[in-house]
Amino acid sequence: MKSTIVIVGVGIATASPADLARVLAGCTTVLCRTLRHPGLAETLAAVMDPGGALLSCDDLYDRAQNFDELYPQIVARLRDLSAIPGNDRIAYVVPGSPAVGERSVQLLLAQEDLNVEIGSGLGLIDYAALKLQQDPADGLMIVDALDLLNDLPAGGGSLFVLQCYDPMIARELVTAVKERGGRIRMLYHLGLQDEMILDVDEQSQVLQRCDHLTSLWITDLAPVAPELISLIQVVHRLRSECPWDAKQTHRSLARHLLEEAHEVIQAIDNLELAPASNDLLVGHLKEELGDLLLQVLMHAEIGHDVDDFDLESIAQTLHEKLVRRHPHVFGDVRVGSANEVVTNWEAIKADERSGRVASPVPETLPAALRLQKAFRKATSLGHSPEELDKLLCGSQPARTFVGAALTALGQDVDLEEALRHAARELEHLDPQ
């Protein structure tokens, strides 16, 4: 017969003896996630069945290096207790609500060979929402302070920040939030006699009092690039509601991507050829860049629809690639010129593409651009310009290659194909 573990939430302050007595009835062992909770040990001792064992996981807290290590150890202890003959019903007691912010509870629920019952208790978030007159249903993200330090959300909304036990962590968070125009309220010892709810900023001395009974409530966080977020929402709606957008595929959009790229180049040319600053031409370039951005957003939506990728994963991939290919910025590599940057870039690309069949230079590029990229790549990988000149033109300089092709046009020589042939010759030197 499977053991039953009763998960009991004791609220944010001293637990109600009557409520605890009801849910603990029949439990021979009571394991507390922590007994470092106001009045908990005394209340449990008064309502437990005679002869029952009162244990805690505070020793695990003291030894664990981090929370990822701690919570599985708590579950393992519960499993060990459930294996003891006669321990058919065990209580696992947690501060606050067992349903919110309790990773150990989630891990416990995943144990298929244990019966789990969940008790009730007024949780910290419930209490804080009442005190602040904030309805979590209006949009509330519950986060861990350590996680939030590395990933402050791009959007707005409200955040309830747990694990603000360290003053330094709390101050770093407050500083980051203030830079985004947010409001931070410190929730200190809620439900206790020394309860405090007060607005704080990075200079507030009261942050030094942060402990394991302290949380932060963050509101009015300004979104990052709100217009970009709005644009993403528009594209998502177009993909969902516009018949034309809904039927597009990566392939059907390919020609539009090419057209928009050429229109951006034309807008750049028009702007550079203008005799003076021209607001109309600047606006035209901005518009064409927007059309090109739309193509990227559409491809991201299509990828999301079939669970291949989304805009976030595209951005993450690009972020990782930029960091990886700029070791002189994000690492300890030293460079003395832009040419050395290009050389490093191409070498890193070559390592990344090891084993791939496809050419790293797209065959669909215009012939002249393809030849230019192939020439630049070959020189960056150690081939001298003289070596490449000899390959393309024998004893004549490389510039004669184009001139010779132009001269031969009257003899039915295809200049486009001649340039493509030269590019293929260079690409063959270092197949990737």
Side-chain angles (χ1 to χ4, degrees):
M1 181 174 131
K2 294 182 180 179
S3 297
T4 296
I5 297 178
V6 183
I7 302 175
V8 182
V10 297
I12 59 169
T14 303
S16 163
D19 289 341
L20 279 178
R22 176 178 53 82
V23 296
L24 294 179
C27 294
T28 55
T29 299
V30 175
L31 178 68
C32 295
R33 178 165 66 76
T34 177
L35 281 172
R36 297 164 184 165
H37 192 73
L40 180 58
E42 296 80 3
T43 303
L44 287 174
V47 301
M48 285 177 55
D49 290 345
L54 177 59
L55 309 172
S56 85
C57 298
D58 287 323
D59 61 313
L60 299 180
Y61 271 91
D62 294 337
R63 293 197 301 268
Q65 297 297 312
N66 51 59
F67 291 112
D68 289 336
E69 175 185 317
L70 169 67
Y71 296 136
Q73 292 178 355
I74 292 176
V75 173
R77 177 164 291 182
L78 284 164
R79 293 187 63 85
D80 291 342
L81 290 172
S82 69
I84 299 174
N87 263 353
D88 297 330
R89 192 171 180 84
I90 303 166
Y92 176 47
V93 178
V94 299
S97 167
V100 179
E102 281 292 346
R103 176 63 178 160
S104 62
V105 170
Q106 296 300 317
L107 292 176
L108 186 59
L109 291 171
Q111 308 300 306
E112 296 181 356
D113 57 336
L114 296 174
N115 291 323
V116 179
E117 297 178 4
I118 300 179
S120 62
L122 180 60
L124 173 63
I125 295 170
D126 308 307
Y127 184 91
L130 290 173
K131 294 287 289 187
L132 295 170
Q133 297 183 353
Q134 300 278 337
D135 187 350
D138 292 337
L140 177 66
M141 182 184 299
I142 303 167
V143 293
D144 185 282
L146 292 174
D147 293 337
L148 193 61
L149 272 178
N150 300 320
D151 190 20
L152 200 62
S158 299
L159 302 172
F160 191 85
V161 188
L162 305 175
Q163 305 289 2
C164 295
Y165 58 87
D166 184 273
M168 184 175 66
I169 293 174
R171 197 174 299 279
E172 287 185 28
L173 269 177
V174 169
T175 300
V177 170
K178 280 298 183 182
E179 290 176 353
R180 292 269 300 278
R183 178 186 181 187
I184 310 101
R185 276 167 282 188
M186 177 176 169
L187 313 179
Y188 179 80
H189 289 199
L190 292 188
L192 303 179
Q193 290 185 347
D194 59 344
E195 168 187 305
M196 289 192 302
I197 299 177
L198 66 163
D199 285 74
V200 292
D201 59 27
E202 57 269 34
Q203 303 299 325
S204 299
Q205 292 300 313
V206 72
L207 290 173
Q208 291 302 120
R209 301 176 66 175
C210 286
D211 60 16
H212 68 293
L213 296 178
T214 305
S215 302
L216 299 176
W217 190 288
I218 298 172
T219 57
D220 305 325
L221 193 63
V224 175
E227 290 301 329
L228 182 58
I229 294 175
S230 297
L231 176 59
I232 293 170
Q233 293 170 343
V234 167
V235 174
H236 178 72
R237 185 170 178 181
L238 290 176
R239 179 72 177 164
S240 302
E241 301 179 22
C242 173
W244 188 91
D245 290 289
K247 75 174 186 178
Q248 298 309 307
T249 65
H250 292 307
R251 172 51 56 193
S252 70
L253 289 176
R255 69 178 183 86
H256 298 287
L257 178 61
L258 186 60
E259 290 171 5
E260 298 300 351
H262 281 292
E263 289 179 8
V264 168
I265 294 171
Q266 184 62 58
I268 292 173
D269 289 344
N270 293 342
L271 183 61
E272 289 187 344
L273 293 173
S277 178
N278 189 311
D279 291 342
L280 183 61
L281 294 179
V282 170
H284 182 222
L285 175 58
K286 181 171 66 174
E287 179 183 351
E288 296 300 344
L289 287 170
D291 291 342
L292 187 59
L293 175 59
L294 173 60
Q295 297 301 309
V296 176
L297 297 180
M298 281 293 292
H299 283 284
E301 279 291 322
I302 294 170
H304 179 267
D305 290 344
V306 295
D307 294 325
D308 282 343
F309 54 80
D310 56 17
L311 188 62
E312 182 177 353
S313 64
I314 292 173
Q316 180 180 358
T317 300
L318 176 59
H319 175 272
E320 293 171 354
K321 181 167 70 174
L322 290 175
V323 172
R324 186 172 61 249
R325 293 189 182 179
H326 289 82
H328 55 286
V329 176
F330 302 102
D332 54 5
V333 173
R334 296 286 182 263
V335 294
S337 67
N339 287 337
E340 289 184 31
V341 172
V342 174
T343 299
N344 289 341
W345 177 284
E346 294 294 351
I348 294 169
K349 283 174 61 177
D351 289 339
E352 294 170 353
R353 287 171 169 153
S354 177
R356 292 187 185 179
V357 176
S359 168
V361 180
E363 296 184 2
T364 55
L365 279 178
L369 182 57
R370 181 179 173 186
L371 176 58
Q372 180 187 33
K373 287 179 68 67
F375 192 93
R376 185 174 60 198
K377 174 181 179 296
T379 56
S380 71
L381 293 180
H383 297 284
S384 69
E386 293 76 18
E387 176 188 353
L388 301 179
D389 288 348
K390 186 174 181 180
L391 173 67
L392 294 177
C393 310
S395 60
Q396 300 180 26
R399 61 178 179 275
T400 306
F401 175 81
V402 177
L406 287 170
T407 303
L409 278 178
Q411 302 176 22
D412 296 326
V413 172
D414 186 336
L415 177 60
E416 182 81 4
E417 179 53 37
L419 296 176
R420 288 189 183 280
H421 174 75
R424 286 193 293 268
E425 289 289 321
L426 297 185
E427 292 162 3
H428 181 69
L429 291 175
D430 293 279
Q432 300 299 328

